[in-house]
């Protein structure tokens, strides 16, 4: 999505997801692999609302990058990941706190709502 090379968010392939987030091929029960909370944006390049959320997620990544990971999953390129998480509509945002179950939010959420969810779900301020 960001072609300038300055993106703070990180694109995830299925292989990277299995390594950095959750290996759903080997484990049935959720077990987050990361070292700090994460927010994953399931998006597509053709999706208008996704394009509205993208710059907000970039800002969050720049402001909170030392406290959390911000990942992006292209649902067109990573269809198996989308199916594994039951993604029906995009954007879908997966909030992954440390030591707790992840929570999914759908739609183009405004920055204030994302920051509130980060505080409440991810314990990131």
């Amino acid at each position: 999505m960001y072609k300038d090379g300055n993106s703070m968010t990180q694109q995830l392939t299925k292989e990277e997801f299995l390594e950095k987030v959750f290996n759903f091929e080997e484990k049935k029960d959720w077990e987050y692999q990361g070292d700090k909370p994460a927010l994953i944006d399931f998006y597509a390049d053709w999706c208008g609302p996704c394009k509205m959320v993208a710059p907000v997620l970039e800002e969050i990544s720049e402001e909170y990058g030392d406290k959390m990971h911000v990942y992006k999953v292209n649902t067109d390129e990573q269809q198996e990941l989308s199916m594994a998480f039951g993604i029906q509509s995009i954007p879908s945002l997966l909030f992954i706190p440390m030591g707790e179950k992840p929570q999914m939010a759908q739609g183009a959420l405004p920055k204030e709502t994302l920051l509130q969810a980060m505080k409440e779900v991810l314990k990131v301020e």
Side-chain angles (χ1 to χ4, degrees):
M1 190 168 244
Y2 288 94
K3 306 271 190 279
D4 61 9
N6 294 327
S7 175
M8 296 291 291
T9 59
Q10 183 181 351
Q11 291 282 346
L12 288 181
T13 62
K14 178 189 165 199
E15 291 73 25
E16 291 168 325
F17 187 96
L18 294 174
E19 178 187 323
K20 295 179 178 184
V21 181
F22 172 56
N23 190 335
F24 58 84
E25 291 183 332
E26 292 183 3
K27 297 186 165 96
K28 289 187 177 13
D29 295 327
W30 175 260
E31 187 178 317
Y32 178 47
Q33 305 293 320
D35 57 352
K36 52 189 173 184
L39 173 57
I40 302 178
D41 174 25
F42 289 87
Y43 77 98
D45 287 333
W46 50 263
C47 165
C50 299
K51 292 177 183 175
M52 292 174 12
V53 170
V56 174
L57 292 175
E58 279 297 315
E59 288 175 25
I60 287 172
S61 182
E62 288 173 22
E63 292 171 31
Y64 297 92
D66 57 337
K67 298 179 181 176
M68 63 183 281
H69 297 290
V70 180
Y71 297 123
K72 296 180 79 60
V73 173
N74 184 322
T75 57
D76 289 334
E77 295 173 2
Q78 304 298 326
Q79 293 181 4
E80 191 174 346
L81 280 179
S82 301
M83 290 185 345
F85 282 87
I87 304 299
Q88 299 290 322
S89 63
I90 50 175
S92 286
L93 301 169
L94 185 64
F95 292 85
I96 306 173
M98 297 302 293
E100 296 177 35
K101 297 279 187 216
Q103 296 184 33
M104 186 76 75
Q106 295 176 330
L109 304 176
K111 186 173 183 180
E112 296 74 35
T113 305
L114 287 170
L115 292 175
Q116 188 69 26
M118 285 166 44
K119 184 177 178 181
E120 293 175 4
V121 178
L122 301 180
K123 314 290 191 270
V124 172
E125 295 186 51

